[in-house]
Amino acid sequence: MLGKKIKRLKAHRKIRMKVFGTKEKPRLSVFRSASYIYAQLIDDESGKVLLSVSDLKVKSSKAKKVERAMEVGKMIAKDAVSKKIEKVVFDRGGFVFHGRVKAVADGAREGGLKF
């Protein structure tokens, strides 16, 4: 199991060399645990988190994980648009762009974010 985590962290490090968020175009970072999914908008210039959303706040806890991830994407997009942020840079955090990570991206696009 440790090898799997190290592999993901190496992929994340490689992604982070290319992806950088600013105040105008923050980085949409996604973290997927076994039970939950988290998304943050990060300004890397100042090192601050602008927004943070997780599926702990999603009302329908009986929904499937992919559906909750889609809601997380929509929630972060709604909050970002209210703060006048329309463009972001997507950071998949070393996870494969599939399943719940893709659902967050699709929900964010559906909510009005461009990346």
Side-chain angles (χ1 to χ4, degrees), residues 92-106:
R92 59 187 174 90
F95 298 101
V96 178
F97 190 77
H98 181 269
R100 290 190 283 159
V101 176
K102 185 177 186 294
V104 171
D106 291 343

Side-chain angles (χ1 to χ4, degrees), residues 79-98:
D79 293 346
V81 169
S82 70
K83 287 193 170 195
K84 298 179 181 165
I85 298 171
E86 294 178 357
K87 290 187 176 185
V88 296
V89 180
F90 191 74
D91 175 13
R92 59 187 174 90
F95 298 101
V96 178
F97 190 77
H98 181 269

Side-chain angles (χ1 to χ4, degrees), residues 26-51:
R27 176 169 54 101
L28 174 57
S29 177
V30 176
F31 178 75
R32 175 181 59 97
S33 73
S35 304
Y36 302 106
I37 192 150
Y38 307 88
Q40 296 177 328
L41 286 180
I42 303 169
D43 175 12
D44 289 317
E45 289 177 334
S46 63
K48 293 189 178 181
V49 175
L50 305 174
L51 285 173

